[in-house]
Structures are given as C-alpha cells and as structure tokens.
Amino acid sequence: MQLRNSTIIKSLLSFKYAVLTLFLFINLISYAQKTDVNGRIIGSNGIGIEGVSVRIVDSKKGTVTDKEGFFKIENTESKEHILHITSIGYFSQKIKTKSSGSKSDYITVTLREDINSLDEVVIEEKKNSIQVERLPDVHDTYLIAGTKNEVLQLGGINANIAEKTGRQIFAKIPGVFVYDMDGSGNQINISTRGLDPHRSWEYNIRQNGVITNSDMYGYPASHYSPAMESIEKIELVHGTASLQYGAQFGGMINYVSKQPDTTKAFTFETINSAGSYGLFSSYNSVSGKVGKLTYSAYYQKRHSDGYRKNSKSDAQSQFASLSYEFTKNLKVKAELGRSSYVYQIPGPLTDAMFAQDPRQSTRSRNYFNPDIYVPSIVLDWKISPSTKLRWTNSGVYGSRNSVLIDAFANVPDAIDQATNQYKPRQVDIDNFKSFTSELRLVHQYRIGRLNNFVSGGVQVMKNNLRRRQLGKGTTGSDFDLSLSNPVWGRDIHLKTKNVAFFIENLLYITPKLSVTPGFRVENGTTNMTGVITYYQPEALPNKIKHHFPLFGISSQYKLDADSRIYAGFSQAYRPTVLKDIIPGSILEQVDKNLKDSKGYNLEVGINGKIGNTFSYDVSIFQILYENRMGTLAMKDAAGKDYILRTNTGNSKTKGIELYTEYKPFSVQGRNGGKTEFSVFTSTSYFDAYYIKGSSILNNENLNTTGNKLEGVPTWISRNGLQFAHNTFFATLQYSYVSSLYSDALNTVEPSANAAKGKVPSYGLWDFNGTLKIAKRYNLKFGVNNILNKSYYTKRPTMYPGAGIWTSDGRSIVVSLGIKI
C-alpha cells in the first residue's frame, strides 16, 4: 500500500512538472512572437513632428510621438500590422509593417502637409502660455519661413483688454512703440523699428486676413477698431515678408477673431468690465454650428469719462460672420464688421500747463468720430491635395469726422466779447470707399524627396477718398457736424486704381535649410480733383504714379525642432498720402513731381527654445527710408517767398531686438494643477538718423543730415514677472521708453506753444491678474500705471493738435467673463 501511494505521488508530481513545463513553453512562444514597433514621424523637411497619433488598426494599442517625432508601441501580438498615423494639418496615412523577427522593428514615416488644414476645428480655451508663439513655414496661403514673426494668444496674456492698453498687449514684442492720442480704449496706435505710429499706418492692418486700412494710397490709417475682447490672437509679420500682402515698411498685423465652437448649435459669451474714470464696457457674443453653416456675432459698447477733463468717449462695435461648407473642398465665408466712437478731444497742453496739472483741458468743444464698416466675402477652394485657392473681396466704407477749434495749446478757446459767443468750430469730414479684390494661390510640389511651396496672386484696389475740410461749423459745444456756411474750404476727391502682382517660392535646399525669393509689381495711379478755395486748381499736383518692381528674399536654417537662424531682405515703399499734397495756405506750393517713399528692410536673427524653461529671439535690422516728405523755403521768379512741400530727406534706422523668457520654477500638483514662475524681457535699441535732409527755421533751410529721426526713442524695454498657481495667473510689468525728439532739427528746449521740444523718458509699472473659476467663469483685475506717473508719448504735428497730450495716470479695471 505504501509503495502504491508512493507511485501515485510520483505520477502526480511528474504531471505537475509536465503541465508547468508546457505552460512555460507556451508563454515563451507567445512572448517570442511579440515585438515592439518603434520609429519616427517626420515632415517633408525632415524635422520630427510632435503629437502625431500612431495606432494599430483593429487594436487598442497606440501612442503619440514625442517632441522629436519618435514613438514606441510595445509588445505587439502579430508579425504583421497596419499603423494608422494622423495629425492635425497633415494627410493621414496607413502603413503596413511586417516583423523582421527581431524584438524591435524600426520605421520612418514622412507625413505630407495638408495646406488646407482642417475645415472644421473645435476651439478649446488655451492655457496661459509664458512664451511668444511663431507662425509655421506655410500659414494659410502665406509663406512665412525665414521671416521674423510673432503670435500673441490673447487668452494667455495678462493685459487690460477692455482699454486696449498697447504696452501690455504687445509687451513681448520688442521695439513696439505705443502712441497715446485718442483716449484709452478707442484705438491702438503702434509702430516698430522707429516707424511712424500714427494709427499704425506703416502696417498692412487686417482682420481675419481682410484689409482694414482706410485707404492704402490716400490715407492708410486704420480707423477700424474692433473690440479686443473679440480677438483670439494677433499675428505680426515684420517687413521682410511684405511682398506677399503689400509693400508697407512695417509689415502686417492680422487680428484673428475668436472661432465659433463647432461642437454646439449655440454658445454665448459675455465679458463686462468696470474701472476708474467712469469706465464701463460690455461685450456679448454668440456662435455655433448648424449643419454646414457656422456662425458668430458680437455686440460691444463702452463708455469712459476719461483721465483728463473733457475727454469722454463712447464707443461701440459689431461683427457678424457666416461660413457655409458646400463640400470639404469648397467653403464660403461672409463677414461684416463695424466700429464707431465719439471722443471728446481735451486739447493739447503747453509744458507749463502739463507741469501744473496734466489732467487739465484746453478745449471743451472738440470731437472726433470715425464710423467704419468692413464687409468681406472669402472663398476657399482646395483644388487638389496640393493646391489651394483663396479669393477675397472686401471693402472699407465709412467716414472720419471731426469738429474742433484747431489752434496751438497757448491759444484759448474764448468767448468773443462782441458776440458773446464762442467762435465757429472747424468741421472736417473724410468719406472712404475702398474696394479690394485679392486672389491668392498656394501650390505644394516636390523636388527630389523634399516638398516645396509657391504662392502667388493678384491684388486689385479701387479707392475713392473724399476729403471735405475747413467747413464753418456751429458756435455750440456739443458734437455737431452741421455747417453754418455750405461752402467747404477744401472739397477734394482722391481716386486710386492699382493692380499688384506677386509671387514667392519656398525652396527647401535641405530638410533644415530653406530659401524664399519673392517679387512684387505695383502698378497704379492716384488722381486728385476738387477745389481749394484759397488755391488755383492748376497749381495742384493732380496725379501720382505708383510703378514699383519690388524684390525680396528670406532664408532660414533650423537648428532643431524649436530653434532657427533666419535672415531676410525686402524692398518696400509707402505712397505719398493725401495730407502730404494739400497746401496748408496760399503761401505753400506742392511739388508736382512728388515721389512715393521707398527703401528696404534688412534683418537677421536667431530664435528658439532651450528645453521647456527658456525661449529667446535676438535680431538685428536696418531700414532705409528714402523720399521722406518735408518743406523748403523758396523764392519764385519774382523774388517772392513761398514754402515748397516736397521730398526732402532720407533716413536710416539700425537696431537690435531682444526677447527672452525664463521659467526657473514649475511644479506639477497632485490634482492636475501647476505652479509656475517666469521672467521675461523685451528690449530694443534704435539708432535712427537722417542721412540726407533739410528743415525750415525762421524761413531758412537748415541741413538735418546726421540728426536723430524725430519720434524715435533710443531704448524701449518691457520686463515682467509672471506667476501661475492652478487657476490663478498674475503679471507684474515694468515698461521704459527713453527720451526722443519731436522735430528734425532736434530741438531740446520746448517752444511756448509746446509744438517743439524734447519728449522726456518715462517708466511705468502695471499689474494684471486672472482667476479662472470653474470652466465658465474668469475674473480679471488690473492696476495700470501703479505709481501714477505723469507722462506723454509724443508731441504730434497734426491731429489731434500740436503740443502735449497727457497719457493716463493710475487706473483700476475689473472684468468678469462668462461662457455658456
């Protein structure tokens, strides 16, 4: 019995070992059959693409690529599998792979860019970004590679949006000069690289790719001013890329509206702001998608009593957008924007008045009112996977109105003792009718293993600017454009017809090195007709021709996925605008052979990131600006003195632009939150001077060669500390602008009327904070000019009047946003 039991036990043990051995053998076979699939996803330029989805078809296994484009899928159960590779902005691919028998198989896949990108995009609110973003090499129908550019995501910026405070919104773009002239919140007046900031008219200003400059060839100021609460991001491309959209020295600024939430039929957002000096602003918008129709619209209204006495403003803006998708390859979008405000102009101050009380006013009856409409229809047609066409038809229609006492600061607006009334005010009205049709096409083609892009098109402009000035207005004190005498001192039509052709070609010499040559031809004529009561019609310059072939080239070398060296050169020009060719009095004459200003932009720089903690952009530039307008003292054949308005000078501006941002501290919380601290500086140095020029003093022509260019500071520096903890984000910013001259003769001591004299330097502290409450609410709080610094930015020589215009002192603004 004992022997039998022993035999049974041995048999059971043998069976147990056999089963265990079989189990291990099966698992070893199974394990041996499993392999890892790893590889890299790259673009046509050979650079790895981050965030690409790589998934095994009919399986739950998948992953996404890392920062350099690498991926790894572990322990796949088959020798053969199909990978589905997808990424936003690229054509998806399905790749069949077969195991080589090794534990790890490696593949490299090149994705081809979809230049039409996605036709339907779901917009998620972006988290606070500490760094300035850059545009891709090909953006819509524009070729951006090799150019200096910045993208500002307003959702990630701590700034006084309600009052459009430029030094805060553009804080991280070095060299931005902000000109305060229209009261807080009405318009943004900026420039870069020492150009003229008046209504940003050195730029090609666009909203959603549609031109909003009032009249490119007659008066290129941007009077259109949408609610900043409606803007999602601001794209700024500097002058070396100008051949694609115009020939402006400054470049292009594109204000991109918030995109509709296409996951819902209806979304509502409201942002209400209140603050110092009677500020109240209300912005309300709706958006959504129903079938193939996508829509959005907003209404905004804002009131402010103003920092100075008699500086009240009332503004409103509206916008509507309808987009219909006929097919995935054909879409039409129609938009209509409108902005209007009435600003009570408090008048210029003398230096003595500014020192006594910078908030005082010299005028109580002056008003300014632009009312602008911008309609557009845009057709996007994806002709093939490699070719996209965009046809934009748009216009700028409306008026620029003012009623004022136009006099120096030391001339009071007093009641006439004889009539016991004020003097009649001067009424000026500009009417704009500007039409633009722009046809653009971008095509992707391959040379060898590299994809290249060519972009070209035609732009047709037909503008009609009617300027009525020196009208005799009322003796009243309210905003009233009516005339007491129906005859205008000036009633002029300025009509322009212009056709421009342009083409640029982005060539990848290697996956990292690219070059983009370009060419643009401007061909048109501006004709002036009308009546100036104090002037003989035959003495007016009645025709200005615009015939310019313009060349440019840019290049870049990508050091890695986030860093590049870039360089560019582009010719540019600026039309002689209407204000330059109207004689101010019978003592003036205008040169009938006026030339448009011309010159070039030249830049070279390096930008990028080092890890996730440091970002930078360092560039040097040079701008040559020829045929600047000026005046000369002359004598006619009879020996009579007169003043000639003509091209009198050339200038050159050289400079350095530096932006750096460092995030030394970042900690991820357990609940998904994050604590971060960062610092940034955005600093520029300008050396701007006349290389040829003259100016009149006491009826004598004086040489200005070598003098500093007026209106250009040597240093502009903005520096900030940023702190983020979970849903709270705060910024403390210091802005410094050095002194500048107000005239070409570099006058230091101020004149009695404050029209000339040095503008002193100033430094300002600002604080802004944002608190996100749940997903639907956010609260913004800001203190502008914390130390209540009294300062001014320029001494203008034209509107709103020669003299000192005080900028705002300390103010507090609170905004509450709700989105449902």
Side-chain angles (χ1 to χ4, degrees), residues 5-19:
N5 289 339
S6 177
T7 302
I8 292 173
I9 291 172
K10 287 181 179 179
S11 298
L12 288 174
L13 288 172
S14 297
F15 180 76
K16 178 181 177 181
Y17 291 137
V19 171

Side-chain angles (χ1 to χ4, degrees), residues 179-181 196-198 347-349 408 711 740-743 753-757 759 792-806:
Y179 176 28
D180 295 332
M181 58 180 283
D196 189 346
H198 180 80
L349 302 179
F408 289 114
L740 55 89
Y741 294 103
S742 60
D743 67 328
N753 58 17
K756 295 181 180 180
V759 176
Y792 56 98
T793 57
K794 276 190 68 176
R795 297 178 190 259
T797 57
M798 51 180 184
Y799 172 88
I804 292 175
W805 291 85
T806 308

Side-chain angles (χ1 to χ4, degrees), residues 365 414-424 472 475:
R365 303 189 300 136
I415 293 178
D416 190 332
Q417 299 298 325
T419 62
N420 200 32
Q421 289 184 321
Y422 283 110
K423 294 180 180 180
K472 187 176 182 181
T475 59

Side-chain angles (χ1 to χ4, degrees), residues 63 266 431 472 602 604 636 773 804-805:
T63 186
F266 180 81
N431 295 110
K472 187 176 182 181
L602 176 66
V604 60
D636 62 16
I773 308 170
I804 292 175
W805 291 85

